[in-house]
Amino acid sequence: MMRIFVPRDAAARALGADAVAAAVLREIAARGLDATLVRNGSRGMVWLEPLVEIETPQGRTAFGPCAPADIPAILDGQSDKALGPVEAIPFFARQTRLTFARVGLTDPLSLAEYEAHGGLAGLRAALAMTPEERIATVRDSGLRGRGGAGFPTGIKWATVAQAPAPQKYVVCNADEGDSGTFADRMLMEGDPFCLIEGMAICGLSVGATKGYVYIRSEYPDAIAVMEEAIRIARAAGLLGPALLGQGPAFDMEVRVGAGAYVCGEETSLLNSLEGRRGVVRAKPPLPALEGLFGRPTVVNNVLSLAAVPWIMAHGAAAYRDYGLGRSRGTIPLQIAGNVKRGGLCEVAFGLSLGEIVHDIAGGTASGRPVKAVQVGGPLGAYFPPSLFDTPFGYEEFDGAGGLIGHAGIVVFDDSVDMLEQARFAMEFCAVESCGKCTPCRIGAVRGMETIDRIAQGDPEALPLLTDLCETMKLGSLCALGGFTPYPVLSALTHWPEDFARTRRAAA
Amino acid sequence: MKDFVIPGHDGAPAFDDRDLGTPARRSNRTVTLTIDGFAVTVPEGTSVMRAAALAGIEIPKLCATDSLEAWGSCRLCLVEIEGRRGTPASCTTPVAEGMVVHTQTDTLRRLRRGVMELYASDQPQQGLAGPMNRGTPLQRMAAVVGLNAVRYKAPEGGRMASHAEPADNPRFRPVDASNPYFAYDPAQCIVCNLCVRACDEIQGTFALTIEGRGFESRMRPGMAGEDYLSSDCVSCGACVQVCPTGSLMEKSVIELGLPTRSVVTTCAYCGVGCQFEAEAQGDTVVRMVPWKHGKANRGHSCVKGRFAWGYATHRDRILEPMIRESIDEPWRVVGWDEAITFAATRLRAIQARHGRHSIGGITSSRCTNEETYLVQKLIRSVFGNNNTDTCARVCHSPTGYGLRQTFGTSAGTQDFDSVEHTDVAVIIGANPTDGHPVFASRLKRRLRQGARLIVIDPRRIDLVRSPHVEAAYHLALRPGTNVAVLTAMAHVIVTEGLHDERFIRERCDWEEFQHYAEFVSDPRHSPEATEALTGVPAADLRAAARLYATGGNGGDLLRPRRDRTFPGIDHRHGHRQSGHADGQYRRPGWG
Ligand SMILES: Cc1cc2nc3c(=O)[nH]c(=O)nc-3n(C[C@H](O)[C@H](O)[C@H](O)COP(=O)(O)O)c2cc1C
Ligand code: SF4
Ligand code: SF4
Ligand code: SF4
Ligand code: FES
């Protein structure tokens, strides 16, 4: 029986995958084919979506981007959308897909297929380990938090594991609020069992019996898939009173966010999970010691947790072998903005920013020169082409005055006005501020006004902006207010000409 | 209310009125650190801010006070710590061994001024000297950090956003003067959350919240659409007391201005005995502020003592001595000498004519212990008889009897602070949230920390279920069956062997206890046997008794009036006995 794959991924659906899938079903029926339609995850090549794959004895061949009208020709074997074997497409071929190995390959809700492609090996391995070995494996893999701060995951887990408490929790941060990021969503929609397995291993390792996945409300597909996958996992005895029927208890549920960027900040997320207003809590106490409902809690990003099954199954050293410096393993880059090839690309740390922008993304879609690249979401710095040799790694980006954050990369061509981008950063902060601390709550609004004055050529406004950025950077309670100065100051540093307006010019 | 003690005067000890910023921490481990070059040793868990304050170093602050847990929002209290990145907030950073802290550096000065400049840029037109902005901490901090000018201004043709302009902030609402005692002006609010935290943590009413987010954040009483008056607010005044701006302010201060002197005094409304600072201009009271060193109230109060002092200047008040020959004559205002001579002569005359025992004296329950003492002294040593009583003695004689029979003295067994150590509280026939609100707030605080509560009362008092507080058991007995219920509790404790024999042998008469144990063990005292009489389900009673006996430090609170009847005596007696059987008295948190 032939299998035809049309992604169920929200990005593919937004580009018309549902209509394509309907066309596939129509053609199967009309032609009386012995074929089934599988709604897989996305392979991450968003510019090729909807990407249709047909299973052949030689492997899976790809067609895209497809419209419903392309389906008959594809089935006739004479489509001009043919892309050859999907895994030979250069964008895909150069990747190191550890975390995303199954995304796009399997039916996301088939537990059998999940296992057939290496799923549950990590949990089984972890169950066979001593508690110390589990933590040591995560620590030695060099895995660091993929949610933004890059905190070593093993140390976080060890803190929770060592905290004595009658109840502990695992909270998966799936709020994914950074503009230009979508890896968490793709993983949850494309391989939900991987996240479940990662959370189960985490619970097992730290002594937590309950997990929550906090998913932003703007991800209805991911919410539905995760809920269904949890139900399946529970029915199969993977989750429940005994992990895989042999381990300690672990169960989990999905919680839906209320639509605030700041609820991705871990303490604010915990408040939201507890049913409180989503404001940031001062640290200490660390969530690892006093987290959800005051109990020791691991808060990890989707990608951090989803990396763990592979690490457990293949060993710490295998993961650590990838990467550079203190950034070990792989990072799922999310490439967006003005690029030829946008999408998800999992690679080992260490590629230069220039390679990513030019070789992987293929430069700008507009064909104009690249002016700026914002890395790490709305709080990340803008990089000029002169910094394109910066290798992709936590310390390396920090050293260049930026951050890698959740590895979102947004490319702009030379038509962008960096003063406008700086103002947008302040505006984003003003809109999304939780309002708890003064530098962010009032500062972001004053920042917009001050940049407007700069645009008008007011000479007093520029020094005021740099003073304000210092107050926000050093004074804010959390990274929303604290990192907003990064895009603002990087724009000012690298493109001073965009800020050098005179009163006459403005008039 | 009476002058009680004037700290620092007449040899009375001076009290430390500094706000140390964050609450004290109890720990038997200490930590030594260096702050601005001074070595400081404090209990583990203490904040850097408090450690500095104890060393005499004031770190600027606006959102911290030592009666509430740190919150970390104003960002004025930033410090530099050697070896740590950035500038952590001193109120939320606990001390660590060997830490080296700097509270005054160029960077910190710039940051603090930067934050104050932002505050000032969002205050009403009059800036920090608005009409209601009277000597507030916000004003003081602006001066302390040396804020000289606000450089923010509107772009040409645009405007500078203000949280108090409906055009910039759709959530803005004007002054809420619905509360009779204080006004809320959101225009001056800096969203420091102190009021919300005071209402939650100290008062336990949860009447306030912050709505909206970012620039639109706004403190709001009650649910959407409500004002202070229609919210759950009980006008305790805690929020007003902590507000560092002119946003929440007593109407009396708005009307009269700031007080110039203060006298510590005790509130005479109820038996809790809250202490206040009566703040006045000359002899005119401007406001009553609960005194942080008051042992009963620790800086908290209820509406009565805080705001209901209008009687102090009421026109019906008698301010001069008056006398009259007989009841059909009008009162005549006279001098003190004449009045006292008149009273003394007449009293002596009555005694001369009718005998030594013909007169006596009774004091009101509103009188302080000192006043009552003086009156009985007058009766005994001047009038030469024992005809003296106090109304409180009448109310409390069953209490006194019960306590005396059980413990040999009729005094209470614990002070109010001991509630902080209670693990299981039993309330019998009392309704503290109404009757003794300040104590109720302290009890609720402890309950929110995890202590459990047993309510024995036919009524469903507030504490049975109120925000973040729920009784583990509410034994809604039939009126008049207190003794049966308490005996049944003792029955459970004794028959299930939950009493602490070692404690009883150590502190009580073991033989007598055995008599008592034998008596309560009788099957007719079992919860099952008395269920029909008391109406309390036997299973609940058993569970409550087990909780009382095994749930940790137990304490009980009884309401005096319950004890007026003779069963009241038995009940108190019975209750004390069960407490004793269980070994629960005379340790902090017990009794
Ligand atoms: C304003 C703000 C938004 C954030 N949003 C997210 C988010 O959407 N997803 C996420 O995983 N982490 C987010 N973070 C980071 C989290 O606070 C936290 O560091 C992370 O969830 C920890 O997980 P990790 O160690 O696996 O990265 C955000 C942080 C800030 C300050
Ligand atoms: S920086 Fe902004 S988002 Fe973070 S705590 Fe402060 S006000 Fe809230
Ligand atoms: S007066 Fe008391 S009860 Fe009312 S809001 Fe303020 S703190 Fe709460
Ligand atoms: S009303 Fe006063 S105490 Fe309450 S948040 Fe505003 S400034 Fe702070
Ligand atoms: S006093 Fe520390 S942040 Fe306000």
Side-chain angles (χ1 to χ4, degrees):
Chain A
M1 186 176 64
M2 181 169 67
R3 292 200 297 167
I4 303 172
F5 296 82
V6 180
R8 59 182 299 159
D9 180 274
R13 290 184 58 207
L15 292 163
D18 285 348
V20 171
V24 169
L25 286 176
R26 262 197 317 274
E27 285 301 314
I28 292 175
R31 300 176 184 218
L33 290 177
D34 179 22
T36 54
L37 171 71
V38 178
R39 300 299 301 266
N40 58 342
S42 167
R43 296 276 190 170
M45 296 173 282
V46 179
W47 80 99
L48 296 177
E49 294 287 2
L51 182 84
V52 176
E53 288 175 53
I54 296 190
E55 203 171 36
T56 69
Q58 295 78 42
R60 279 156 63 164
T61 50
F63 303 85
C66 294
D70 294 325
I71 302 302
I74 290 173
L75 291 175
D76 293 342
Q78 39 185 277
S79 170
D80 58 352
K81 297 284 173 73
L83 299 164
V86 65
E87 287 171 5
I89 298 173
F91 184 93
F92 195 90
R94 71 176 301 168
Q95 298 188 36
T96 306
R97 284 173 83 104
L98 309 184
T99 304
F100 280 76
R102 279 171 302 263
V103 176
L105 184 63
T106 57
D107 174 352
L109 288 172
S110 164
L111 192 52
E113 237 193 314
Y114 179 69
E115 256 192 285
H117 287 93
L120 297 182
L123 179 56
R124 292 213 169 87
L127 280 166
M129 292 180 190
T130 64
E132 294 74 34
E133 282 169 348
R134 292 175 196 132
I135 303 274
T137 303
V138 177
R139 191 191 56 222
D140 296 345
S141 73
L143 177 65
R144 290 165 72 176
R146 302 286 186 243
F151 188 82
T153 305
I155 294 181
K156 191 182 280 189
W157 287 22
T159 310
V160 176
Q162 282 154 18
Q167 175 72 57
K168 300 179 191 179
Y169 298 101
V170 179
V171 171
C172 172
N173 188 341
D175 199 52
E176 197 163 52
D178 284 2
S179 44
T181 60
F182 39 80
D184 297 350
R185 179 186 59 70
M186 282 195 159
L187 186 106
M188 289 186 290
E189 292 176 5
D191 195 16
F193 294 119
C194 179
L195 178 57
I196 294 175
E197 186 180 346
M199 287 181 71
I201 295 170
C202 180
L204 175 69
S205 306
V206 304
T209 53
K210 178 86 201 192
Y212 293 92
V213 192
Y214 185 92
I215 310 180
R216 59 183 307 183
S217 59
E218 295 88 340
Y219 281 179
D221 287 16
I223 293 165
V225 174
M226 278 312 300
E227 277 178 341
E228 183 60 14
I230 291 170
R231 204 190 52 73
I232 294 168
R234 211 179 275 141
L238 163 53
L239 295 173
L243 278 173
L244 281 176
Q246 43 172 307
F250 186 79
D251 208 343
M252 54 189 278
E253 60 185 83
V254 169
R255 288 294 173 90
V256 179
Y261 176 70
V262 75
C263 284
E265 193 285 331
E266 57 185 358
T267 60
S268 182
L269 183 154
L270 293 174
N271 275 334
S272 172
L273 260 184
E274 289 177 13
R276 298 168 194 264
R277 189 166 170 265
V279 286
V280 175
R281 299 178 186 169
K283 288 186 278 196
L286 293 173
L289 298 174
E290 285 177 45
L292 188 62
F293 303 113
R295 302 297 193 189
T297 304
V298 173
V299 182
N300 267 146
N301 175 252
V302 174
L303 300 181
S304 317
L305 289 162
V308 170
W310 193 95
I311 292 169
M312 286 290 168
H314 297 87
Y319 193 76
R320 198 182 48 224
D321 280 350
Y322 296 101
L324 106 151
R326 290 179 48 217
S327 311
R328 309 312 313 175
T330 58
I331 180 80
L333 304 171
Q334 299 129 81
I335 304 166
N338 193 343
V339 284
K340 278 206 183 68
R341 296 189 288 270
L344 182 132
C345 179
E346 183 177 349
V347 291
F349 282 98
L351 283 183
S352 75
L353 183 56
E355 283 175 281
I356 295 169
V357 171
H358 292 301
D359 302 352
I360 296 180
T364 61
S366 61
R368 300 172 67 101
V370 173
K371 177 167 176 179
V373 181
Q374 188 176 29
V375 183
L379 310 176
Y382 287 98
F383 282 76
S386 58
L387 289 176
F388 273 11
D389 56 356
T390 312
F392 208 86
Y394 294 99
E395 280 66 31
E396 293 71 15
F397 265 57
D398 187 48
L403 49 109
I404 65 171
H406 191 46
I409 296 169
V410 183
V411 179
F412 298 83
D413 72 11
D414 62 355
S415 63
V416 69
D417 176 353
M418 296 313 289
L419 179 135
E420 280 303 318
Q421 294 306 114
R423 189 187 191 281
F424 174 74
M426 286 292 186
E427 190 180 344
F428 181 87
C429 182
V431 170
E432 298 295 348
S433 165
C434 83
K436 179 166 172 174
C437 76
T438 320
C440 172
R441 177 169 52 88
I442 305 178
V445 173
R446 296 289 171 258
M448 284 155 59
E449 293 161 358
T450 306
I451 294 175
D452 287 347
R453 284 168 60 191
I454 295 172
Q456 292 172 342
D458 181 341
E460 286 162 9
L462 205 57
L464 181 55
L465 181 67
T466 42
D467 282 2
L468 171 64
C469 282
E470 184 188 37
T471 306
M472 289 178 73
K473 187 171 162 183
L474 292 176
S476 294
L477 174 60
C478 88
L480 179 47
F483 283 18
T484 293
Y486 278 72
V488 175
L489 291 179
S490 62
L492 190 56
T493 309
H494 299 302
W495 297 274
E497 62 281 7
D498 284 4
F499 292 78
R501 313 222 177 152
T502 61
R503 277 186 195 281
R504 224 175 313 114
Chain B
M1 298 184 204
K2 306 287 183 277
D3 286 9
F4 175 61
V5 81
I6 303 173
H9 287 265
D10 308 326
F15 289 93
D16 184 352
D17 277 333
R18 288 175 307 165
D19 185 334
L20 302 176
T22 63
R25 286 285 180 259
R26 288 192 207 112
S27 174
N28 38 25
R29 271 191 299 220
T30 58
V31 168
T32 301
L33 67 162
T34 309
I35 305 178
D36 292 347
F38 295 95
V40 192
T41 302
V42 291
E44 192 175 42
T46 303
S47 71
V48 169
M49 173 179 280
R50 187 176 174 98
L54 288 168
I57 299 167
E58 187 194 339
I59 301 177
K61 60 174 182 296
L62 274 172
C63 71
T65 181
D66 54 15
S67 58
L68 294 169
E69 290 302 324
W71 178 248
S73 74
C74 76
R75 316 309 287 171
L76 273 184
C77 71
L78 305 178
V79 293
E80 287 182 47
I81 299 176
E82 288 181 14
R84 293 208 191 178
R85 279 178 77 158
T87 48
S90 60
C91 62
T92 56
T93 305
V95 293
E97 190 62 41
M99 201 181 231
V100 180
V101 180
H102 302 281
T103 74
Q104 303 294 336
T105 67
D106 286 346
T107 307
L108 295 172
R109 258 186 289 280
R110 273 201 316 277
L111 291 177
R112 289 176 186 148
R113 207 174 284 186
V115 169
M116 272 317 304
E117 189 176 4
L118 287 171
Y119 276 135
S121 77
D122 192 35
Q123 282 286 305
Q125 271 302 282
Q126 304 90 335
L128 295 172
M132 280 168 66
N133 230 332
R134 300 219 155 114
T136 62
L138 181 64
Q139 273 182 318
R140 186 166 164 268
M141 280 304 141
V144 165
V145 306
L147 179 70
N148 297 318
V150 175
R151 293 171 294 163
Y152 296 104
K153 62 181 188 196
E156 271 171 44
R159 36 185 291 115
M160 187 155 95
S162 156
H163 80 277
E165 273 300 328
D168 306 317
N169 177 6
R171 287 181 192 276
F172 183 74
R173 300 283 173 282
V175 176
D176 172 357
S178 63
N179 185 291
Y181 311 111
F182 54 86
Y184 168 40
D185 178 6
Q188 302 186 54
C189 175
I190 58 167
V191 208
C192 68
N193 221 286
L194 277 166
C195 52
V196 179
R197 287 180 282 147
C199 192
D200 295 358
E201 288 177 38
I202 300 177
Q203 166 59 21
T205 293
F206 297 85
L208 306 179
T209 188
I210 305 286
E211 70 172 355
R213 71 166 191 243
F215 200 63
E216 295 180 2
S217 302
R218 174 179 172 276
M219 190 280 275
R220 187 194 67 201
M223 311 289 283
E226 283 189 324
D227 59 13
Y228 249 106
L229 198 62
S230 60
S231 76
D232 281 349
C233 170
V234 295
S235 300
C236 73
C239 53
V240 182
Q241 201 180 331
V242 292
C243 181
T245 71
S247 194
L248 286 169
M249 189 152 292
E250 296 90 349
K251 287 183 175 173
S252 55
V253 175
I254 296 171
E255 188 187 316
L256 299 169
L258 280 183
T260 50
R261 70 186 194 98
S262 81
V263 180
V264 174
T265 180
T266 303
C267 172
Y269 266 116
C270 79
V272 169
C274 296
Q275 291 191 298
F276 282 83
E277 283 182 283
E279 297 191 341
Q281 289 173 341
D283 275 349
T284 306
V285 178
V286 175
R287 70 178 161 199
M288 297 289 293
V289 181
W291 193 39
K292 83 191 262 195
H293 304 291
K295 282 189 176 163
N297 56 323
R298 300 285 175 202
H300 188 43
S301 67
C302 80
V303 59
K304 294 175 286 181
R306 179 87 157 92
F307 294 117
W309 42 268
Y311 60 82
T313 51
H314 197 277
R315 60 189 155 78
D316 285 355
R317 252 191 90 172
I318 296 165
L319 299 170
E320 290 152 315
M322 295 187 292
I323 60 173
R324 60 184 174 189
E325 275 300 324
S326 79
I327 200 161
D328 45 15
E329 280 181 15
W331 288 107
R332 198 156 52 82
V333 174
V334 295
W336 278 109
D337 283 349
E338 186 182 350
I340 289 168
T341 311
F342 178 83
T345 319
R346 292 306 169 97
L347 288 168
R348 277 294 185 221
I350 292 168
Q351 276 191 312
R353 225 173 104 196
H354 301 286
R356 208 151 45 97
H357 295 287
S358 59
I359 57 172
I362 185 163
T363 53
S364 155
S365 56
R366 291 266 181 274
C367 295
T368 61
N369 283 348
E370 291 76 7
E371 288 160 338
T372 299
Y373 174 83
L374 287 174
V375 169
Q376 67 79 32
K377 184 91 178 163
L378 173 78
I379 309 296
R380 292 206 166 95
S381 43
V382 180
F383 296 168
N385 66 37
N386 286 325
N387 295 343
T388 180
D389 207 344
T390 163
C391 134
R393 210 270 310 156
V394 181
C395 304
H396 287 273
S397 75
T399 323
Y401 180 81
L403 288 168
R404 196 162 53 244
Q405 290 299 304
T406 317
F407 296 116
T409 171
S410 61
T413 55
Q414 287 295 338
D415 59 15
F416 284 154
D417 286 346
S418 107
V419 75
E420 288 165 23
H421 306 274
T422 298
D423 296 321
V424 181
V426 185
I427 299 179
I428 308 174
N431 187 0
T433 44
D434 285 6
H436 302 93
V438 168
F439 178 75
S441 291
R442 298 184 70 173
L443 176 63
K444 279 190 189 174
R445 186 178 201 160
R446 182 65 192 152
L447 293 172
R448 287 195 305 273
Q449 289 166 356
R452 280 168 302 164
L453 173 67
I454 301 168
V455 173
I456 305 181
D457 201 306
R459 300 165 300 176
R460 209 188 141 76
I461 61 169
D462 251 13
L463 283 173
V464 170
R465 195 176 151 85
S466 64
H468 302 279
V469 166
E470 187 167 15
Y473 299 100
H474 173 207
L475 308 184
L477 76 185
R478 292 213 178 91
T481 61
N482 290 331
V483 175
V485 166
L486 295 176
T487 309
M489 279 185 76
H491 174 93
V492 176
I493 292 170
V494 172
T495 57
E496 295 191 5
L498 304 175
H499 55 284
D500 181 347
E501 182 174 332
R502 201 175 53 91
F503 183 93
I504 298 165
R505 279 184 185 277
E506 218 171 78
R507 312 224 179 176
C508 309
D509 182 328
W510 179 245
E511 297 234 325
E512 271 195 39
F513 171 75
Q514 281 178 312
H515 286 147
Y516 174 71
E518 195 182 318
F519 170 77
V520 298
S521 302
D522 192 314
R524 74 197 153 96
H525 295 312
S526 74
E528 290 74 18
T530 50
E531 178 172 336
L533 168 75
T534 63
V536 176
D540 283 3
L541 197 148
R542 278 195 184 272
R546 286 176 196 140
L547 173 61
Y548 180 60
T550 61
N553 290 342
D556 48 68
L557 176 84
L558 299 102
R559 176 180 175 212
R561 292 217 178 88
R562 281 264 127 198
D563 306 329
R564 268 208 197 123
T565 50
F566 276 122
I569 297 178
D570 263 334
H571 128 179
R572 176 140 282 218
H573 197 64
H575 188 60
R576 294 284 149 178
Q577 288 286 17
S578 68
H580 231 176
D582 180 41
Q584 298 263 4
Y585 286 106
R586 297 220 169 261
R587 288 214 215 153
W590 303 12

